């Protein structure tokens, strides 16, 4: 039987590349933080620590975790947190963390709960001395992928950076072995942004290897105008043109844009995904779903999201989790998804992968490190030591 003895949390600041803070069309990431969580458990006299975080792009949820969720879990009857094998049950731990929380309002609490739930997966994989993707695949009856298609996400806005800087950045991703990239739009006037798009296509070689991300910037009129402006470039996808909960806007873009649309990273619950597939105009043969377990109550909820997609005729190979980090790499490999994001140059120490994750032909394989292997990532390893010492 696994006995949960302690839970720790710490807000860790995100770091930009070479001292520069990235910005998208809506957010400057200076001052952004991430909640790093550790679950300390003992099984058969062996002390094991499960570690996870709440993904990237929101802020740390220290108050929600420390004031509400962690006390609930630590005060629970230990037997209620275990599965039939005596291991910590991620679903039971999640239910305990959410006790007395009203439905709806899927904001920062969804990410707080996710950090706890994902740390449970890391702990269980370590108990079995196996990488997390194997634990995940077995739990959900899947055959794990040996490697996962990845794309390099960058192309942020930096003060004083021009087209040459953007070209150099994208060329550096190609030099690393990435075959596809993503860049930001919506943070500059349309003519300037279109010039940026064309510069990246010129470097990468074709529009089909370039995705653009508006981060929800546009109203319906602007989103449609941009769809028309981008149509001739035959891009990999056009991401989050408008507010993530404006399903009518998304539908309007799908009606006028033949290329792929990508969305979902800011949907934090199964009901949100149900509404997206009902009302958002998503097309099973092309559009991309980017829900992120680290922002949406964890892996159990994320697996239910995939069930929603498949029950509505979508293929999980069109799921590409947002986040660009090791946890989502294991999730994509364990659940047989289409691929995932990578942050090779931004959002350290969480973004990107550990040195042992070799990139080949645009694919990355997780290492054989037990759990998510976070302790093997430079920068993040030091933060984990500080948290767990």
């Amino acid at each position: 039987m696994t006995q949960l003895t302690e839970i720790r949390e710490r807000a860790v600041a995100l770091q930009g590349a070479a001292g520069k803070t990235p910005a998208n069309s809506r957010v400057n990431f200076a001052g952004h933080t991430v909640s790093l969580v550790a679950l300390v458990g003992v099984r058969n006299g062996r002390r094991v620590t499960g570690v996870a975080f709440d993904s990237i792009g929101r802020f740390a949820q220290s108050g929600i975790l420390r004031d509400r969720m962690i006390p609930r879990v630590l005060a629970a009857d230990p037997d209620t947190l275990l599965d039939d094998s005596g291991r910590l049950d991620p679903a039971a731990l999640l239910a305990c963390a959410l006790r007395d929380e009203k439905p709806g309002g899927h904001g920062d609490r969804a990410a707080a709960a996710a950090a706890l739930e994902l740390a449970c997966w890391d702990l269980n994989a370590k108990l079995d001395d196996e990488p997390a993707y194997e634990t995940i695949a077995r739990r959900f009856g899947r055959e794990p992928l040996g490697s996962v298609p990845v794309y390099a996400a960058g192309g942020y806005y930096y003060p004083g950076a021009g087209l040459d800087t953007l070209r150099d950045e994208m060329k550096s991703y190609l030099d690393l072995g990435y075959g596809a990239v993503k860049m930001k739009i919506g943070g500059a006037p349309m003519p300037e942004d279109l010039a940026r798009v064309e510069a990246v296509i010129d470097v990468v070689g074709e529009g089909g290897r370039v995705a653009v991300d508006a981060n929800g910037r546009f109203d319906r009129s602007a989103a449609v105008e941009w769809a028309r402006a981008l149509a001739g470039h035959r891009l990999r996808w056009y991401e989050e043109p408008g507010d993530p909960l404006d399903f009518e806007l998304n539908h309007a873009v799908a009606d006028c844009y033949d290329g792929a649309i990508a969305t979902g990273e800011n949907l934090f619950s199964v009901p949100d995904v149900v509404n997206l597939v009902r009302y958002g105009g998503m097309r099973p043969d092309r559009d991309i779903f980017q829900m992120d377990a680290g922002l949406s109550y964890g892996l159990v909820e994320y697996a239910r999201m995939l069930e929603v997609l498949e029950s509505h005729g979508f293929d999980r190979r069109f799921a590409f989790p947002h986040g660009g980090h090791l946890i989502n790499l294991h999730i994509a490999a364990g659940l047989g998804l289409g691929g995932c994001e990578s942050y090779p140059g931004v959002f350290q120490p969480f973004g990107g992968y550990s040195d042992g994750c070799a990139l080949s032909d645009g694919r990355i394989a997780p290492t054989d490190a037990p759990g998510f292997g976070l302790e093997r990532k430079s920068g993040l390893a030091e933060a984990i030591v500080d948290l767990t010492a």
Side-chain angles (χ1 to χ4, degrees):
M1 183 179 80
T2 303
Q3 180 183 3
L4 183 60
T5 61
E6 187 179 5
I7 302 176
R8 299 183 183 184
E9 183 274 345
R10 178 173 295 175
V12 179
L14 290 177
Q15 303 162 18
K20 299 183 295 182
T21 300
N24 62 30
S25 67
R26 302 291 297 269
V27 176
N28 186 300
F29 290 95
H32 263 239
T33 52
V34 171
S35 278
L36 182 65
V37 168
L39 304 184
V40 181
V42 177
R43 183 177 175 87
N44 298 328
R46 177 187 175 194
R47 186 178 186 270
V48 179
T49 301
V51 182
F53 52 88
D54 58 325
S55 199
I56 297 167
R58 317 298 289 186
F59 284 92
Q61 294 85 41
S62 302
I64 296 174
L65 284 160
R66 295 179 185 178
D67 296 343
R68 288 158 36 195
M69 295 185 176
I70 292 175
R72 288 171 189 155
V73 173
L74 291 178
D77 179 343
D79 290 343
T80 66
L81 302 178
L82 304 180
D83 60 19
D84 292 340
S85 71
R87 284 174 169 76
L88 285 176
D89 181 352
L93 185 142
L94 176 65
C96 180
L98 294 175
R99 190 181 66 243
D100 296 327
E101 300 273 347
K102 285 187 174 182
H106 306 291
D108 279 356
R109 77 168 184 202
L116 291 173
E117 196 258 18
L118 290 168
C120 190
W121 290 95
D122 185 64
L123 189 151
N124 285 338
K126 288 172 177 173
L127 283 172
D128 288 333
D129 197 29
E130 65 183 7
Y133 74 90
E134 293 185 2
T135 303
I136 292 167
R138 185 170 60 254
R139 166 62 178 78
F140 292 101
R142 308 291 306 185
E143 186 67 30
L145 300 177
S147 63
V148 176
V150 291
Y151 64 92
Y156 288 84
Y157 298 95
Y158 297 95
L163 292 181
D164 286 344
T165 301
L166 180 62
R167 290 189 185 98
D168 289 344
E169 178 191 354
M170 294 300 165
K171 184 177 183 301
S172 74
Y173 298 149
L174 299 183
D175 291 343
L176 288 172
Y178 291 95
V181 301
K182 187 171 78 176
M183 62 174 292
K184 302 300 182 179
I185 61 171
M190 180 182 276
E192 183 178 332
D193 261 344
L194 286 174
R196 295 174 70 251
V197 172
E198 290 162 4
V200 172
I201 292 173
D202 182 59
V203 170
V204 176
E206 60 177 291
R209 296 166 63 191
V210 178
V212 299
D213 183 2
N215 290 105
R217 176 72 180 185
F218 305 135
D219 61 17
R220 178 170 174 169
S221 175
V224 169
E225 181 183 8
W226 263 97
R228 291 170 178 152
L230 294 171
H233 294 297
R234 306 180 70 83
L235 298 171
R236 192 179 192 199
W237 66 65
Y238 174 20
E239 182 172 330
E240 269 200 327
D243 188 283
L245 293 176
D246 191 340
F247 303 123
E248 186 178 62
L249 181 154
N250 200 79
H251 204 309
V253 173
D255 284 345
C256 72
Y257 185 67
D258 288 338
I261 296 168
T263 191
E265 73 178 70
N266 290 302
L267 301 182
F268 303 148
S269 72
V270 166
D272 287 338
V273 176
V274 170
N275 284 332
L276 175 62
V277 297
R278 283 177 177 170
Y279 308 118
M282 300 291 279
R283 299 155 295 184
D285 64 339
R286 72 195 77 172
D287 292 330
I288 304 299
F289 293 88
Q290 298 173 307
M291 291 79 72
D292 182 346
L295 299 177
S296 52
Y297 297 106
L299 183 52
V300 172
E301 183 84 353
Y302 183 79
R304 293 175 59 214
M305 292 176 179
L306 294 179
E307 291 175 2
V308 169
L309 297 185
E310 292 176 330
S311 70
H312 285 80
F314 294 90
D315 191 316
R316 67 177 56 209
R317 289 174 296 180
F318 286 80
F320 284 71
H322 153 270
H325 52 69
L326 277 165
I327 294 176
N328 279 340
L329 178 67
H330 280 266
I331 290 173
L335 295 179
L337 307 183
C340 64
E341 193 167 24
S342 176
Y343 291 140
V346 290
F347 303 135
Q348 297 305 311
F350 300 94
Y353 307 124
S354 55
D355 291 341
C357 296
L359 176 60
S360 177
D361 295 326
R363 302 176 71 96
I364 287 181
T367 70
D368 60 359
F372 294 121
L374 304 181
E375 293 86 352
R376 294 192 181 183
K377 187 177 186 305
S378 177
L380 185 52
E382 290 79 2
I384 292 171
V385 169
D386 289 342
L387 176 64
T388 58

